[in-house]
Amino acid sequence: FLSLVAEFCCGFFVILILGNFWFLAVLYLLWLYLDWKTPCTGGRRSQWVRSWTVWKYFREYFPIQLIKTSDLDPNHNYLFGFHPHGVLVAGAFGNFCTSSSFSSLFPGITPYLHIMPIWFGCPFFREYIMSAGMVSASKESVSYVLNNKEGGHASVIVIGGAEESLNARPGSLTLNILKRKGFIKMALKHGAHLVPVFSFGENELFKQVANPKGSWLRNIQEKLQKIMGFALPLFHARGIFQYSFGLIPYRQPINTVVGSPIPVKQNLNPTTEEIEQLHALYLQKLRKLFEEHKGTYGIPEHKSLIFE
């Protein structure tokens, strides 16, 4: 959905340049230059945009539900690790970028969903995603959110990133996380409490063309991902009036479970050993969260998370 909106915005910008409204394009480029750092300094959210009725229908389509397992003290800042990426990242968007039940479940906490910086270079589209509460996934941006002295900020990071979307298919429980430790270092530097989040049903929304590791398709996808910064999974689901083929996601429940916070003491210069220890603890808590709730959301008892 975001890609379609981005393409529309870019197309509209090209029309301005080629048409008789080129001066508007020039004015916008000037605005873009002056406003370039905003995605790294908390963005510019709009409660009006986050409350659009379309998002209510979006959440009800699957439906999307947010499940709380523990209170979060608004005097602290938090770093939410969101899993898995899936194809659409519907749970992250529906719960943290719209007027969902988040504010009532976690009063005093403001979530910021961090996405790839490349999206903020798209004319007009950048204004929309910032108004929804999205900010850049750069270190500068994460530091800005977590550096709030009064607390009450939550950085939401999809840990597996674009690479993990290549594993997104029904039944997949593989997470790209073993080598991803930058978020651990950021949590330590800012003393932000870590919160594992697992979104059950995220991988059930689309089917993906077979791309096992080592296959020619997977190799091409991985090379393109390194060049462009985002992955290109070949996925399909249902159509508007039929269920056999299309690009509309299947209507599968998405239950996003927010785990208990892992207290983190601020350490401006954490050692490799300290990062490794906290990373191991995070993996332990994430696995425990999954195991405690998998039965409730239809995961067979013999199935477990696979960390890569």
Side-chain angles (χ1 to χ4, degrees):
F1 176 77
L2 290 180
S3 297
L4 291 175
V5 177
E7 291 175 8
F8 173 81
C9 291
C10 288
F12 179 68
F13 185 71
V14 170
I15 291 174
L16 288 181
I17 294 176
L18 298 179
N20 295 324
F21 303 97
W22 59 266
F23 61 95
L24 293 178
V26 172
L27 288 175
Y28 184 79
L29 287 175
L30 176 60
W31 162 255
L32 192 63
Y33 173 78
L34 297 174
D35 194 57
W36 190 253
K37 283 290 185 180
T38 301
C40 295
T41 54
R44 188 168 45 246
R45 70 177 55 217
S46 164
Q47 191 56 39
W48 175 67
V49 173
R50 289 168 60 88
S51 300
W52 282 352
T53 302
V54 66
W55 304 136
K56 175 178 178 291
Y57 295 134
F58 174 81
R59 294 192 303 269
E60 291 177 350
Y61 172 80
F62 299 99
I64 295 175
Q65 183 180 6
L66 187 67
I67 295 91
K68 170 183 175 180
T69 63
S70 177
D71 290 332
L72 297 181
D73 186 347
N75 293 315
H76 295 298
N77 292 317
Y78 299 89
L79 194 157
F80 286 21
F82 184 91
H83 313 269
H85 184 287
V87 171
L88 192 62
V89 205
F93 178 81
N95 286 309
F96 306 122
C97 297
T98 71
S99 294
S100 65
S101 60
F102 184 90
S103 58
S104 60
L105 291 176
F106 303 104
I109 307 294
T110 303
Y112 295 81
L113 179 60
H114 295 270
I115 64 174
M116 291 182 296
I118 189 174
W119 291 114
F120 296 97
C122 180
F124 301 114
F125 180 67
R126 68 188 296 276
E127 318 304 333
Y128 157 67
I129 56 179
M130 278 196 291
S131 65
M134 295 181 229
V135 292
S136 172
S138 66
K139 291 181 180 179
E140 178 187 0
S141 177
V142 176
S143 292
Y144 183 90
V145 173
L146 297 181
N147 206 33
N148 184 35
K149 301 301 182 183
E150 298 179 357
H153 280 188
S155 280
V156 183
I157 302 177
V158 184
I159 305 299
E163 183 181 357
E164 193 173 86
S165 68
L166 298 178
N167 292 324
R169 54 177 44 85
S172 175
L173 295 172
T174 300
L175 303 181
N176 292 68
I177 191 173
L178 291 181
K179 296 181 180 179
R180 297 179 181 266
K181 300 171 184 175
F183 73 104
I184 298 291
K185 189 174 183 179
M186 293 299 291
L188 282 166
K189 282 190 170 184
H190 295 281
H193 294 355
L194 282 166
V195 180
V197 179
F198 195 87
S199 195
F200 291 90
E202 199 75 46
N203 281 337
E204 315 304 312
L205 306 184
F206 296 93
K207 294 179 180 178
Q208 189 171 169
V209 175
N211 60 342
K213 289 191 174 182
S215 65
W216 65 269
L217 176 58
R218 186 62 167 255
N219 290 336
I220 291 175
Q221 288 175 320
E222 290 177 346
K223 287 180 181 178
L224 289 174
Q225 189 257 320
K226 290 179 181 179
I227 295 172
M228 301 184 298
F230 56 90
L232 294 172
L234 298 180
F235 59 89
H236 62 90
R238 54 163 289 185
I240 298 177
F241 301 110
Q242 45 77 31
Y243 296 88
S244 57
F245 189 82
L247 296 178
I248 297 176
Y250 293 115
R251 296 192 70 176
Q252 295 290 337
I254 299 174
N255 295 286
T256 304
V257 183
V258 180
S260 300
I262 303 170
V264 177
K265 185 177 181 180
Q266 187 173 24
N267 184 346
L268 295 177
N269 296 292
T271 64
T272 301
E273 182 180 0
E274 290 169 331
I275 294 173
E276 292 284 353
Q277 288 177 349
L278 184 55
H279 186 261
L281 177 60
Y282 179 85
L283 293 183
Q284 177 186 335
K285 296 295 186 182
L286 175 59
R287 188 181 294 279
K288 181 181 178 183
L289 178 70
F290 173 81
E291 292 294 331
E292 288 178 346
H293 293 87
K294 68 180 184 180
T296 304
Y297 302 114
I299 306 295
E301 184 62 32
H302 68 279
K303 292 280 190 177
S304 296
L305 292 178
I306 300 172
F307 296 147
E308 289 188 346

